[in-house]
Amino acid sequence: MNRLSGRAWWVAHQDRYPNSRDVNDLDEDFRANLIRFINCLKKAGALVSIKSTRRNAIRAYLMHYCWRIANEDFNPSDVPQRAGVDIQWDHGNDEASRKAANEMVSLFGLAFKPSLASNHIRGTAIDMDIRWSKDLFLGPLPTGGFRGVVGGPRTGARNRDLHEIGESFGVRKLLNDPPHWSYNGR
Protein backbone atom coordinates (compact mmCIF):
# COMPACT_ATOMS: atom_id res chain seq x y z
CA MET A 1 0.00 0.00 0.00
CA ASN A 2 1.24 3.49 -0.88
CA ARG A 3 2.09 5.42 2.30
CA LEU A 4 3.25 8.61 0.56
CA SER A 5 1.21 11.71 1.40
CA GLY A 6 -0.81 13.46 -1.27
CA ARG A 7 -4.02 13.11 -3.21
CA ALA A 8 -3.89 9.32 -3.63
CA TRP A 9 -3.20 8.76 0.08
CA TRP A 10 -6.05 11.06 1.12
CA VAL A 11 -8.57 9.53 -1.28
CA ALA A 12 -7.71 6.06 0.05
CA HIS A 13 -7.85 7.03 3.75
CA GLN A 14 -10.19 9.99 4.26
CA ASP A 15 -13.14 7.90 5.43
CA ARG A 16 -11.09 6.78 8.45
CA TYR A 17 -10.97 10.33 9.88
CA PRO A 18 -14.41 11.90 9.50
CA ASN A 19 -15.51 15.20 10.95
CA SER A 20 -18.98 15.52 12.37
CA ARG A 21 -21.87 17.76 11.33
CA ASP A 22 -24.06 16.60 14.22
CA VAL A 23 -24.67 18.99 17.14
CA ASN A 24 -25.10 15.94 19.38
CA ASP A 25 -21.34 15.32 19.07
CA LEU A 26 -20.54 18.67 20.72
CA ASP A 27 -19.58 19.36 24.34
CA GLU A 28 -22.71 19.17 26.51
CA ASP A 29 -22.68 22.79 27.80
CA PHE A 30 -21.88 24.36 24.43
CA ARG A 31 -24.43 22.10 22.73
CA ALA A 32 -27.21 23.24 25.06
CA ASN A 33 -26.44 26.92 24.41
CA LEU A 34 -26.11 26.34 20.67
CA ILE A 35 -29.42 24.49 20.42
CA ARG A 36 -31.22 27.34 22.20
CA PHE A 37 -29.61 29.84 19.80
CA ILE A 38 -30.44 27.79 16.68
CA ASN A 39 -34.02 27.23 17.83
CA CYS A 40 -34.43 30.96 18.41
CA LEU A 41 -33.09 31.68 14.92
CA LYS A 42 -35.32 29.10 13.24
CA LYS A 43 -38.39 30.28 15.13
CA ALA A 44 -37.73 33.77 13.74
CA GLY A 45 -37.43 32.43 10.19
CA ALA A 46 -33.67 32.10 9.69
CA LEU A 47 -32.17 29.23 7.72
CA VAL A 48 -29.30 27.50 9.53
CA SER A 49 -26.98 25.19 7.61
CA ILE A 50 -24.45 23.25 9.69
CA LYS A 51 -21.15 22.65 7.92
CA SER A 52 -18.99 21.16 10.70
CA THR A 53 -19.11 20.47 14.43
CA ARG A 54 -16.55 18.21 16.13
CA ARG A 55 -13.31 17.72 14.22
CA ASN A 56 -11.48 14.40 14.27
CA ALA A 57 -8.11 14.94 16.03
CA ILE A 58 -6.23 12.83 13.48
CA ARG A 59 -7.82 14.78 10.64
CA ALA A 60 -6.65 17.98 12.36
CA TYR A 61 -3.12 16.53 12.54
CA LEU A 62 -3.21 15.80 8.80
CA MET A 63 -4.56 19.27 8.01
CA HIS A 64 -2.02 20.99 10.26
CA TYR A 65 1.06 19.29 8.85
CA CYS A 66 0.10 19.37 5.18
CA TRP A 67 -0.41 23.13 5.64
CA ARG A 68 2.96 23.56 7.35
CA ILE A 69 4.83 21.59 4.69
CA ALA A 70 3.06 23.38 1.84
CA ASN A 71 3.16 26.92 3.23
CA GLU A 72 5.85 27.24 5.88
CA ASP A 73 8.84 25.35 4.46
CA PHE A 74 8.40 22.86 7.29
CA ASN A 75 10.72 19.88 6.85
CA PRO A 76 8.53 16.83 6.09
CA SER A 77 10.94 14.54 7.95
CA ASP A 78 10.27 16.57 11.13
CA VAL A 79 6.54 15.76 11.23
CA PRO A 80 5.96 13.70 14.38
CA GLN A 81 4.48 10.25 13.88
CA ARG A 82 0.92 9.81 15.06
CA ALA A 83 -0.60 6.53 16.21
CA GLY A 84 -3.24 5.31 13.79
CA VAL A 85 -1.84 7.22 10.79
CA ASP A 86 0.23 5.32 8.26
CA ILE A 87 1.53 8.24 6.19
CA GLN A 88 4.95 9.21 4.91
CA TRP A 89 5.30 12.98 4.55
CA ASP A 90 8.88 12.90 3.20
CA HIS A 91 8.92 11.88 -0.47
CA GLY A 92 12.71 11.99 -0.70
CA ASN A 93 12.91 15.53 -2.03
CA ASP A 94 11.42 18.84 -0.97
CA GLU A 95 9.62 19.56 -4.25
CA ALA A 96 7.73 16.25 -4.30
CA SER A 97 6.89 16.52 -0.58
CA ARG A 98 5.53 20.07 -0.97
CA LYS A 99 3.55 19.14 -4.09
CA ALA A 100 1.88 16.28 -2.20
CA ALA A 101 1.20 18.53 0.79
CA ASN A 102 -0.34 21.15 -1.53
CA GLU A 103 -2.62 18.48 -2.98
CA MET A 104 -3.89 17.72 0.51
CA VAL A 105 -4.29 21.42 1.37
CA SER A 106 -6.47 21.76 -1.74
CA LEU A 107 -8.51 18.65 -0.93
CA PHE A 108 -9.16 19.96 2.59
CA GLY A 109 -10.07 23.39 1.19
CA LEU A 110 -7.78 25.10 3.70
CA ALA A 111 -7.49 28.88 3.83
CA PHE A 112 -5.85 29.15 7.28
CA LYS A 113 -3.32 27.09 9.23
CA PRO A 114 -5.31 24.46 11.16
CA SER A 115 -4.72 24.08 14.87
CA LEU A 116 -3.82 20.86 16.64
CA ALA A 117 -5.89 21.87 19.67
CA SER A 118 -8.93 23.78 18.41
CA ASN A 119 -12.40 24.37 19.75
CA HIS A 120 -13.63 22.08 16.97
CA ILE A 121 -11.54 19.20 18.34
CA ARG A 122 -12.82 19.87 21.88
CA GLY A 123 -16.43 20.04 20.64
CA THR A 124 -16.91 23.70 21.54
CA ALA A 125 -17.23 25.16 18.02
CA ILE A 126 -19.44 24.95 14.97
CA ASP A 127 -19.21 26.13 11.39
CA MET A 128 -22.66 27.17 10.23
CA ASP A 129 -24.21 29.47 7.68
CA ILE A 130 -27.13 31.59 8.87
CA ARG A 131 -29.28 33.45 6.35
CA TRP A 132 -32.67 35.11 6.33
CA SER A 133 -34.84 36.88 3.75
CA LYS A 134 -37.03 39.02 6.04
CA ASP A 135 -36.09 40.91 9.17
CA LEU A 136 -35.78 38.67 12.25
CA PHE A 137 -37.59 39.27 15.52
CA LEU A 138 -35.59 37.22 18.00
CA GLY A 139 -36.54 36.14 21.49
CA PRO A 140 -36.86 35.31 24.19
CA LEU A 141 -33.19 35.91 24.86
CA PRO A 142 -31.23 34.46 27.79
CA THR A 143 -30.80 38.00 29.13
CA GLY A 144 -34.57 38.39 29.17
CA GLY A 145 -37.04 39.86 26.75
CA PHE A 146 -36.87 40.10 23.00
CA ARG A 147 -34.45 41.73 20.65
CA GLY A 148 -36.01 44.13 18.20
CA VAL A 149 -35.78 43.61 14.51
CA VAL A 150 -32.51 42.23 13.11
CA GLY A 151 -32.20 43.32 9.50
CA GLY A 152 -29.26 43.39 7.14
CA PRO A 153 -26.82 42.26 6.27
CA ARG A 154 -28.90 39.09 6.20
CA THR A 155 -26.08 36.68 6.95
CA GLY A 156 -24.66 35.39 10.21
CA ALA A 157 -21.15 36.02 8.93
CA ARG A 158 -21.51 39.82 8.83
CA ASN A 159 -24.43 40.90 11.02
CA ARG A 160 -23.04 42.46 14.23
CA ASP A 161 -26.48 42.56 15.85
CA LEU A 162 -26.78 38.81 15.39
CA HIS A 163 -23.26 38.34 16.80
CA GLU A 164 -24.36 40.16 19.98
CA ILE A 165 -27.43 37.98 20.26
CA GLY A 166 -25.35 34.84 19.77
CA GLU A 167 -23.05 36.00 22.55
CA SER A 168 -26.03 36.30 24.91
CA PHE A 169 -26.57 32.56 24.30
CA GLY A 170 -22.89 31.76 24.88
CA VAL A 171 -22.26 31.25 21.14
CA ARG A 172 -19.64 33.75 19.95
CA LYS A 173 -18.69 34.65 16.38
CA LEU A 174 -15.10 34.54 15.12
CA LEU A 175 -15.17 37.62 12.91
CA ASN A 176 -12.43 36.66 10.44
CA ASP A 177 -13.85 33.20 9.67
CA PRO A 178 -17.32 33.47 8.07
CA PRO A 179 -18.99 30.27 9.28
CA HIS A 180 -17.17 29.83 12.63
CA TRP A 181 -18.92 30.22 16.01
CA SER A 182 -17.65 28.89 19.35
CA TYR A 183 -17.94 29.19 23.12
CA ASN A 184 -15.18 31.82 23.22
CA GLY A 185 -15.12 33.38 19.73
CA ARG A 186 -11.87 31.64 18.75
Side-chain angles (χ1 to χ4, degrees):
M1 177 187 287
N2 182 10
R3 295 180 47 231
L4 291 174
S5 63
R7 179 176 179 65
W9 187 92
W10 181 239
V11 169
H13 295 89
Q14 67 174 329
D15 291 341
R16 294 177 60 191
Y17 315 110
N19 283 336
S20 175
R21 294 177 59 194
D22 188 344
V23 296
N24 292 315
D25 291 335
L26 293 170
D27 169 81
E28 184 178 343
D29 293 333
F30 180 68
R31 178 180 63 233
N33 292 338
L34 176 67
I35 288 171
R36 284 194 296 276
F37 180 46
I38 289 173
N39 286 342
C40 182
L41 290 166
K42 287 181 175 180
K43 184 177 176 184
L47 299 173
V48 179
S49 176
I50 297 170
K51 305 297 182 193
S52 176
T53 57
R54 190 178 287 269
R55 182 167 293 142
N56 181 294
I58 292 175
R59 189 180 187 103
Y61 158 86
L62 293 164
M63 293 166 70
H64 178 83
Y65 284 106
C66 74
W67 175 272
R68 292 200 64 194
I69 293 165
N71 295 294
E72 297 180 350
D73 291 327
F74 190 82
N75 187 338
S77 63
D78 290 340
V79 175
Q81 292 296 312
R82 172 93 189 223
V85 185
D86 189 24
I87 191 168
Q88 183 177 333
W89 296 100
D90 189 347
H91 289 236
N93 71 66
D94 288 345
E95 185 179 340
S97 299
R98 276 191 237 313
K99 180 180 181 283
N102 268 309
E103 290 174 355
M104 292 178 69
V105 166
S106 293
L107 289 167
F108 282 121
L110 300 177
F112 302 100
K113 177 180 171 181
S115 173
L116 290 172
S118 73
N119 285 328
H120 276 288
I121 295 168
R122 289 187 289 276
T124 56
I126 185 169
D127 287 347
M128 62 181 170
D129 290 330
I130 305 166
R131 300 197 177 282
W132 57 98
S133 57
K134 297 185 286 185
D135 290 349
L136 298 177
F137 185 76
L138 295 167
L141 301 179
T143 54
F146 284 79
R147 170 72 181 216
V149 175
V150 176
R154 290 186 160 95
T155 169
R158 298 189 331 259
N159 190 296
R160 299 295 177 130
D161 290 334
L162 188 64
H163 301 167
E164 270 184 46
I165 291 167
E167 191 166 330
S168 75
F169 282 91
V171 181
R172 292 167 178 82
K173 180 74 186 82
L174 177 61
L175 297 178
N176 67 350
D177 188 351
H180 187 84
W181 299 73
S182 67
Y183 87 99
N184 63 0
R186 290 180 280 199

